Amino acid sequence: MSKFSDGMRTLTGGRGLSQYSMIIALVAIILVFEIWTGGYTLDPTNVINMVQQYSYILILAIGMVMLIIAGHIDLSVGSVAAFVGIVVAQSMAVWHLPAGLAMLLGLVVGALVGAWQGFWVAYVRVPAFIVTLAGQLIFRGANQVVGNSTAVPTPDSYNWIGNGFLPDFGPDFGYSNPTLILGLVVIAALIWKEVHDRRKRVRMGASPQPVWVSVVRLVLLCGITIFATFLFATGRVGTSFPIVGIIAGVLILVYSFVTSSTVFGRHIYAVGGNASAAVLSGVKSRGVNFLLMMNMSILAAVAGMVFVGNAQASGPFDGTGWELDAIAAVFVGGAAIFGGVGTVAGSIIGAFVMAFLANGLSLLGLDASWVSIIRGLVLLAAVAFDVYNKTQGRPSIIGLLLGGFRRKKPNITEEAIQAQPQGLEKPSGDQVDKVPLS
Amino acid sequence: MAATDDRLEPVVSMRAISKSFGHVQALRNVDLDLYRGEVVALVGDNGAGKSTLVKVLAGVHAPDAGTITFRGRIVSIPSPAASRELGIATVFQDLALCDNLDVVANLFLGHELGRGSLDEETMEQRSWELLRRLSARIPSVRMPVATLSGGQRQTVAIARSLIGDPTVVILDEPTAALGVAQTAEVLNLIELLRDQGHCVVLISHNMADVQAVADRVIVLRLGRVNGRFRAPELSYEDIIASITGVLNLEEGTPEDDPRERLPDGPARPLRSPGGSTPAGDAEGGAR
Ligand SMILES: Nc1ncnc2c1ncn2[C@@H]1O[C@H](COP(=O)(O)OP(=O)(O)O)[C@@H](O)[C@H]1O
Ligand SMILES: [Mg+2]
């Protein structure tokens, strides 16, 4: 038993099984629905549908987790998405803008909306909760003004971003060629990253993990990739990997990098961890808050445009309840309600949980009112879990927040031993002497 | 002789600093000079204005009146960044650490290395060098600060203030929350900083700490300087009397004559009755 848990700890880089509880929850949900729906959940057609239908949760969760890390929230994402959607649809219907220009317009409108909300949050210091509650009303109303409260259809040249697929080419093996190539690229990238991380750990003087850890991790990740590739490559004729999947994937990669490895990302965590300390250290917290609010609205714009493309029309009730999906995804993904903690990767897993939940429940033909009740309970449970962990003195902070090579238990290096010549009180969470505030 | 001159010239010289918050007059006409290689203790009761005085230097509060001279140049310190730029580093009373970040991230917060992506390798290496210079006992620089003990957190906060090699290091009640061993560690650190030529300002409630490391003691009472003492004449009774107001110095007492600081300087009694400068006290006899 203890040997097993030791092995698990090494495999997960010191985080132990509990840190991976959300991945386990995701796998459990998928398996339960797979059995419950008689194998339909993991049917290629359903998976492809799901990516197209629920990618908005992924896209919104990225922006939302960054805001929540910094200690804010955005309740207006659904309304902003709907507003941008109707502006884009109308611009093509009334002004006959080409699809590309309309998308650009959508991004600009999203940025302007974000600048508006960011101004109130960052410079007037109105809590984001209030600003975006107001935004929820304002932009829902604006959507109905621009669209005259009716649905506006969008042309096929545009709908491609919502319901399009990677174009097929080459000889026919019975699989979609671009999807196979994509799968191979992902596998190559996974292997390259593992090797790169091991090298980096060696350079930093940290002892690299045993080889079997890398091998097991790679086998698992590559296995998932091969399985997913197979799913997407064997869908109905004419389907392959959805364009929205590519959009979401690129956004995930870019924002994972931004949050974990850039100065801006570091400052997001600092502002959320201790805003006054961050300011005293020279972090421009107002700028950070402003950019985060703006970024959220731009991502909401992307989500709205993708959704409109998939629905082939922009309607007055698009995006209702999206804020709940995004916020729930972030908390299921391990972010802390008080800010300072969370990762893009965790939130993506949370977004998958929410998407599989919504999809599975609708496949089962459950009444919409019950779906709503269940999703509400999931959000409550996720936050309660975080609060409970905190009161137990088990901050979800450690490791969660730092990905990659920093995902190791504090290992006692040579320097560490030199730096502690005598007995040292064992550092532990509950021993922290809290320094009183002035 | 040049070295002596360097020590005679104050690095920071504050004159007639006043600051109020609403009706609370936190500082009234405070003069303060800081020299290299010296530990100045700032003592006084709660609410005496110690933190406010150092926050003026740290760029957190702008003074309502008065001038600050830094190396002979009159400066204004509008922001914490401007203060650091001058070479003034402050460890605030509440430490101002981000508990959710690890030691390296805290040490380099606001001065991260690397363009585009963070240079974690160099930052980690420099962190070890810095902590070793302070003989700090931190088991891993990749631990979140929340998991460190009070003394270790204090050490991290002090270490962070040293990045950028400041001239003046201000410590606001660094030992208030510490045990005996940890306090001794911090006091050692303070002496180390002084010996390295920094000018250290120490705010403390603990007279034993003050007597152990301070070269000069400035007593604040109700926002005024109410007494100035110099080692080795740090009489516990006099300092306490000055803090509580039993002993009062004339207002507007001029700053110390720097020549007194030299061993061979003229031996004048420090607490000579003032009046040598006309006291420009705005409040009149509000005492
Ligand atoms: N930001 C502030 N706003 C209002 N009053 C303040 C503020 N900071 C300090 N004060 C007041 O100024 C006086 C001096 O405070 P402070 O400098 O913190 O004293 P201490 O010597 O205990 O550090 C106190 O009466 C305090 O209440
Ligand atoms: Mg104070």
Side-chain angles (χ1 to χ4, degrees), chain B residues 190-246:
Chain B
I190 290 172
E191 294 191 319
L192 192 70
L193 293 180
R194 170 182 55 198
D195 297 343
Q196 289 173 356
H198 295 281
C199 157
V200 184
V201 178
L202 165 70
I203 296 183
S204 181
H205 269 130
N206 186 326
M207 279 314 126
D209 294 355
V210 168
Q211 286 175 314
V213 293
D215 299 304
R216 276 196 295 145
V217 177
I218 312 284
V219 181
L220 281 185
R221 178 171 158 74
L222 303 174
R224 284 191 179 81
V225 174
N226 201 37
R228 299 175 190 275
F229 303 86
R230 154 150 330 119
E233 299 157 47
L234 299 178
S235 139
Y236 179 82
E237 284 74 21
D238 282 359
I239 296 179
I240 295 294
S242 186
I243 288 174
T244 54
V246 174

Side-chain angles (χ1 to χ4, degrees), chain B residues 75-98:
Chain B
V75 291
S76 71
I77 310 180
S79 69
S83 172
R84 287 206 61 117
E85 208 111 298
L86 284 175
I88 302 171
T90 312
V91 179
F92 293 98
Q93 200 165 351
D94 54 6
L95 295 188
L97 295 174
C98 289

Side-chain angles (χ1 to χ4, degrees), chain A residues 438, chain B residues 19-22 24-27 43-55 61 93 172-173 203 205 220 223:
Chain A
S438 55
Chain B
K19 172 77 192 171
S20 51
F21 300 102
V24 182
Q25 181 98 34
L27 295 175
V43 301
D45 226 337
N46 269 332
K50 308 179 295 290
S51 296
T52 307
L53 183 60
V54 297
K55 280 180 180 168
H61 298 316
Q93 200 165 351
D172 194 350
E173 309 216 7
I203 296 183
H205 269 130
L220 281 185

Side-chain angles (χ1 to χ4, degrees), chain A residues 13-359:
Chain A
R15 293 204 242 181
L17 264 182
S18 65
Q19 306 277 9
Y20 279 73
S21 50
M22 47 199 174
I23 296 181
I24 292 167
L26 175 61
V27 171
I29 285 175
I30 294 174
L31 288 181
V32 165
F33 281 119
E34 174 74 1
I35 295 167
W36 214 340
T37 58
Y40 190 66
T41 297
L42 288 181
D43 180 84
T45 309
N46 183 53
V47 172
I48 290 173
N49 271 346
M50 220 175 68
V51 169
Q52 294 187 323
Q53 199 181 342
Y54 295 113
S55 57
Y56 74 88
I57 306 183
L58 294 180
I59 297 169
L60 292 176
I62 297 170
M64 194 65 83
V65 70
M66 292 162 72
L67 267 183
I68 285 176
I69 291 168
H72 305 294
I73 202 151
D74 192 334
L75 303 178
S76 71
V77 287
S79 295
V80 172
F83 173 60
V84 170
I86 197 76
V87 167
V88 169
Q90 286 287 47
S91 75
M92 290 183 291
V94 179
W95 300 333
H96 306 291
L97 282 192
L101 265 187
M103 290 174 202
L104 201 64
L105 175 69
L107 291 178
V108 170
V109 171
L112 289 176
V113 167
W116 159 260
Q117 306 207 99
F119 164 75
W120 291 103
V121 171
Y123 297 101
V124 189
R125 291 168 174 274
V126 180
F129 167 73
I130 299 296
V131 170
T132 58
L133 195 60
Q136 194 180 57
L137 295 173
I138 294 169
F139 297 108
R140 178 62 58 190
N143 163 289
Q144 291 166 1
V145 169
V146 174
N148 300 317
S149 301
T150 56
V152 177
T154 49
D156 283 344
S157 61
Y158 171 87
N159 293 341
W160 169 82
I161 68 159
N163 60 13
F165 295 97
L166 285 179
D168 207 349
F169 55 81
D172 187 0
F173 300 120
Y175 297 103
S176 139
N177 290 335
T179 309
L180 295 182
I181 291 173
L182 187 67
L184 287 177
V185 168
V186 170
I187 288 174
L190 285 172
I191 293 173
W192 177 83
K193 187 175 183 320
E194 189 69 35
V195 171
H196 179 79
D197 283 357
R198 286 186 70 89
R199 289 229 183 100
K200 192 155 189 174
R201 284 175 63 101
V202 171
R203 269 211 308 277
M204 289 180 67
S207 54
Q209 295 170 318
V211 176
W212 70 266
V213 173
S214 294
V215 171
V216 171
R217 191 159 46 208
L218 270 182
V219 166
L220 279 177
L221 290 175
C222 292
I224 293 170
T225 310
I226 290 168
F227 180 65
T229 307
F230 176 75
L231 275 184
F232 286 108
T234 55
R236 275 179 290 111
V237 178
T239 64
S240 67
F241 194 73
I243 298 295
V244 287
I246 304 274
I247 294 176
V250 169
L251 289 175
I252 291 167
L253 286 180
V254 168
Y255 281 95
S256 295
F257 175 78
V258 167
T259 50
S260 68
S261 311
T262 66
V263 173
F264 180 68
R266 181 59 49 83
H267 288 182
I268 299 174
Y269 285 98
V271 167
N274 186 343
S276 63
V279 171
L280 290 173
S281 310
V283 173
K284 297 189 174 57
S285 75
R286 273 186 288 190
V288 170
N289 292 337
F290 180 81
L291 285 177
L292 285 180
M293 290 301 294
M294 188 149 135
N295 178 60
M296 179 76 256
S297 290
I298 293 174
L299 287 174
V302 173
M305 290 194 288
V306 164
F307 185 83
V308 166
N310 191 42
Q312 305 180 3
S314 167
F317 301 110
D318 286 359
T320 40
W322 280 13
E323 60 283 344
L324 180 126
D325 286 317
I327 293 167
V330 168
F331 287 126
V332 168
I337 188 86
F338 303 110
V341 178
T343 56
V344 169
S347 305
I348 294 308
I349 294 170
F352 275 118
V353 169
M354 294 311 285
F356 272 102
L357 202 63
N359 173 259

Side-chain angles (χ1 to χ4, degrees), chain B residues 62-266:
Chain B
D64 299 336
T67 56
I68 303 172
T69 313
F70 189 86
R71 293 194 162 143
R73 204 157 43 85
I74 291 190
V75 291
S76 71
I77 310 180
S79 69
S83 172
R84 287 206 61 117
E85 208 111 298
L86 284 175
I88 302 171
T90 312
V91 179
F92 293 98
Q93 200 165 351
D94 54 6
L95 295 188
L97 295 174
C98 289
D99 279 350
N100 58 333
L101 296 178
D102 64 19
V103 175
V104 177
N106 267 290
L107 287 177
F108 284 90
L109 188 58
H111 321 87
E112 288 84 357
L113 302 181
R115 311 163 174 249
S117 81
L118 294 168
D119 186 352
E120 295 285 358
E121 288 171 55
T122 315
M123 287 200 285
E124 183 164 333
Q125 214 176 334
R126 295 242 185 114
S127 300
W128 277 121
E129 285 165 12
L130 188 62
L131 291 171
R132 216 170 309 148
R133 206 177 99 201
L134 300 179
S135 318
R137 303 185 202 159
I138 308 273
S140 163
V141 290
R142 288 300 177 187
M143 291 167 84
V145 164
T147 61
L148 298 179
S149 76
Q152 291 169 333
R153 291 163 58 88
Q154 191 71 53
T155 306
V156 171
I158 295 175
R160 183 177 64 178
S161 73
L162 298 180
I163 287 179
D165 208 18
T167 324
V168 181
V169 179
I170 302 173
L171 307 170
D172 194 350
E173 309 216 7
T175 57
L178 302 187
V180 177
Q182 297 175 339
T183 299
E185 226 167 275
V186 170
L187 294 183
N188 281 339
L189 199 51
I190 290 172
E191 294 191 319
L192 192 70
L193 293 180
R194 170 182 55 198
D195 297 343
Q196 289 173 356
H198 295 281
C199 157
V200 184
V201 178
L202 165 70
I203 296 183
S204 181
H205 269 130
N206 186 326
M207 279 314 126
D209 294 355
V210 168
Q211 286 175 314
V213 293
D215 299 304
R216 276 196 295 145
V217 177
I218 312 284
V219 181
L220 281 185
R221 178 171 158 74
L222 303 174
R224 284 191 179 81
V225 174
N226 201 37
R228 299 175 190 275
F229 303 86
R230 154 150 330 119
E233 299 157 47
L234 299 178
S235 139
Y236 179 82
E237 284 74 21
D238 282 359
I239 296 179
I240 295 294
S242 186
I243 288 174
T244 54
V246 174
L247 185 69
N248 284 314
L249 263 183
E250 203 71 31
E251 278 173 40
T253 307
E255 250 301 351
D256 302 336
D257 182 345
R259 271 164 305 177
E260 293 175 19
R261 305 175 61 251
L262 301 175
D264 51 323

